[in-house]
Amino acid sequence: MTLGTGDTIAAIATAVVPQQGSVSIVRVSGAVAMAIAKAIFHAPGSQVWESHRILYGYIRHPQTKQVVDEALLLIMKAPRSYTREDVVEFHCHGGIAAVQQVLQLCIAAGARLAQAGEFTLRAFLNGRLDLTQAESIADLVGAKSKQAAQMALAGLQGKLAKPIRQLRATCLDILAEIEARIDFEEDLPPLDEAAIKGQIGQVLAEVEGILATAGQGELLRTGLKVAIVGRPNVGKSSLLNAWSKCERAIVTDLPGTTRDVVESQLVVGGIPVQVLDTAGMRETADVVEQIGVMRSRNVASAADLVLLTIDAQAGWTKDDQEIYERIQHRPVILVINKTDLIDETQKQILQSKICIPKSKIFTAAACNQGIDALEKAILAAVQTGNLQAADLDVAINQRQAAALTRARTSLQQVQTTVANQLPLDFWTIDLRGAIQALGEITGEEVTESVLDRIFSRFCIGK
């Protein structure tokens, strides 16, 4: 991605849904954005073309005057715009044909098609956003739950950037103190080594605290992958249907009905959950079913959490044991299903006999019973893994975590250097490393390749 901002870019800024979208927006940003708008938009009457006004009119071909769409035009002149450049937006009718024609007219009038994330990149380069805010925009667009959206909004409001900048400013102050003693040792009082140690220790502790949110943030952004596994006909598909409150999977009394992985997207306690119903695991001569069983095993191996489902009437069988031995390296919850077909005494006997895995719940999926207990068990498993997603304010992503890890290492090395009483010049080496790593988080120090990697994840038009 070229970092220049001299040309004018255009893109469709809304999802294009054939025959379904009600409104589509074409966004244009750059020096000739207003000229493009005046070339293709006709505003009847005496409407005033000024910033932050909405005009009503028609988009038409500048040469043939053929009307392409009836639309609204939103004008935002620099610097009061998303990119801090002149920005115009054409609010057209949805669908495909009209909005594509409008985009082509913009390009013919002097714009070029924007690259992925280029509008937000310009906002960053023009100083409207820092890098954490830009990444928060991508997180907000892709948020899979209310909590994830709230976390992204907090980042957009600068709640991550502010403490990072403060830590970097403290490190810069420490560096200035040390370098002043190196350059003007005879003219300044001795360095307060105890105070420097205390400041570095405090910065390190705060870095550790922010780093601790990495797992939480990743959980809310990407969600939890949960696989439902077990023998054929134990009620896995019924469990998925009851949990998702819709008929996602085919349910019959015939073993082997599910041949492939069936997926459903849910939210449990604010955590996005991808639930995967798998084919029943058993030895079979059916080639198609064999493929399904193999996929089931692969899904179970890659899942964050496995729900091993068994039949309450059949109890813990040899086949259940074999399946458990295959997946015991993953976090496992035992789901004892079809409990509506046994009495309370049988349930207690069954619970006392099955000692693996430790976490077990009872469900009657066909009767929509036990789903609340299942969700509580999943949240308990998440919290046991120190990935508590509730009440998060700000949590860092993988790139930010990598930079903070480098900052932590550098600060720890500074502490070692001070403890070994090495010359002040050595103190500054790792201190500069920490400053650089912290600057990479907010974008004070960042390379073009890093920007390419970040903004390539954005959708075109954002």
Side-chain angles (χ1 to χ4, degrees), residues 2-151:
T2 304
L3 296 187
T5 58
D7 54 356
T8 298
I9 57 174
I12 300 172
T14 48
V16 178
V17 183
Q19 301 177 345
Q20 294 184 32
S22 58
V23 177
S24 291
I25 297 174
V26 175
R27 178 178 292 157
V28 184
S29 177
V32 298
M34 284 295 296
I36 291 172
K38 289 181 178 180
I40 69 172
F41 190 84
H42 171 64
S46 57
Q47 300 179 66
V48 181
W49 288 65
E50 63 183 22
S51 186
H52 293 77
R53 288 183 70 97
I54 297 177
L55 308 183
Y56 161 79
Y58 299 91
I59 299 169
R60 60 188 186 183
H61 194 287
Q63 281 77 47
T64 67
K65 305 304 179 183
Q66 179 183 0
V67 174
V68 172
D69 197 8
E70 181 184 23
L72 299 175
L73 174 66
L74 174 60
I75 302 170
M76 294 168 282
K77 291 187 177 181
R80 295 171 59 208
S81 73
Y82 182 66
T83 60
R84 282 194 173 168
E85 301 173 334
D86 284 350
V87 172
V88 296
E89 289 183 352
F90 300 94
H91 292 233
C92 317
H93 287 93
I96 294 180
V99 71
Q100 289 287 358
Q101 288 183 72
V102 174
L103 177 61
Q104 290 305 315
L105 286 178
C106 291
I107 293 172
R112 67 166 173 81
L113 187 63
Q115 300 179 50
E118 193 168 0
F119 289 94
T120 306
L121 174 61
R122 291 189 176 202
F124 166 71
L125 294 175
N126 291 329
R128 185 182 179 279
L129 303 170
D130 66 38
L131 212 49
T132 65
Q133 291 173 309
E135 289 175 302
S136 294
I137 289 173
D139 290 338
L140 184 58
V141 171
K144 299 177 182 178
S145 68
K146 178 182 176 181
Q147 284 79 354
Q150 289 298 318
M151 184 179 68

Side-chain angles (χ1 to χ4, degrees), residues 230-236 251-257 280-281 310-311 337-338:
R231 295 183 294 107
N233 216 28
V234 296
K236 299 184 298 299
V251 177
T252 74
D253 293 331
L254 300 174
T257 300
M281 294 185 182
I310 69 169
D311 185 334
N337 193 33
K338 301 185 180 182

Side-chain angles (χ1 to χ4, degrees), residues 360-373:
K360 58 178 77 71
I361 62 162
F362 292 90
T363 64
C367 304
N368 292 318
Q369 296 176 4
I371 302 303
D372 288 344

